[in-house]
Amino acid sequence: MNQFQTRRSFILIPIMSILNIIFKPMKVLASSLNSKEEWNLSKEEWKSKLSPESYYILREEGTERAFSSQLNNEKRKGVFHCAGCDLPLFLSDKKYDSGTGWPSFWDSIQGSVETKVDFKLIVPRTEYHCSRCEGHQGHVFNDGPAPTGKRYCNNGLALRFVPD
Ligand SMILES: [Zn+2]
């Protein structure tokens, strides 16, 4: 281990343990609301259930091309469900145009998503996934509008829109 790596894990490990403490109560709440076990499917089961594009996003933590999703321009009233297990994740009245090219929301339905930190781009980002099937949805940032200041930047391929 070189000096840079040592220094990095020295900084990151305490940050990750703090995040774990913060997000643990949310996890307990979510699992008491949903039957997570039913959604513990094998790779093959997921492949047969999802399109190859949605499989890549939901099960391999992929990211779709910006501005590629029709849900970007979806402005009707309704609910955005997880494309994997159909759990309702976002309400249309929390959706806004972030200009980033991905469907964006300033809040999620309580208990519907869980977060973890990923280091894919070196700089830590907070990934979030469906609390029931653990399908990867997107990343959450702190540059969203009031009242939460959050921006849930979601892959359209990971969602299914159900109009009211
Ligand atoms: Zn799900």
Side-chain angles (χ1 to χ4, degrees), residues 29 58 162:
L29 175 72
L58 286 161
V162 181

Side-chain angles (χ1 to χ4, degrees), residues 71 74 76-81 92 159-164:
L71 292 184
E74 180 57 69
R76 288 174 292 171
K77 270 190 164 302
V79 182
F80 294 82
H81 293 236
S92 58
L159 295 171
R160 189 175 76 84
F161 180 62
V162 181
D164 280 352

Side-chain angles (χ1 to χ4, degrees), residues 110-130:
Q110 208 192 350
S112 68
V113 299
E114 291 173 354
T115 55
K116 73 176 189 215
V117 178
D118 91 35
F119 297 97
K120 274 188 190 156
L121 301 179
I122 315 294
V123 181
R125 292 182 302 172
T126 305
E127 177 265 3
Y128 63 94
H129 50 270
C130 168

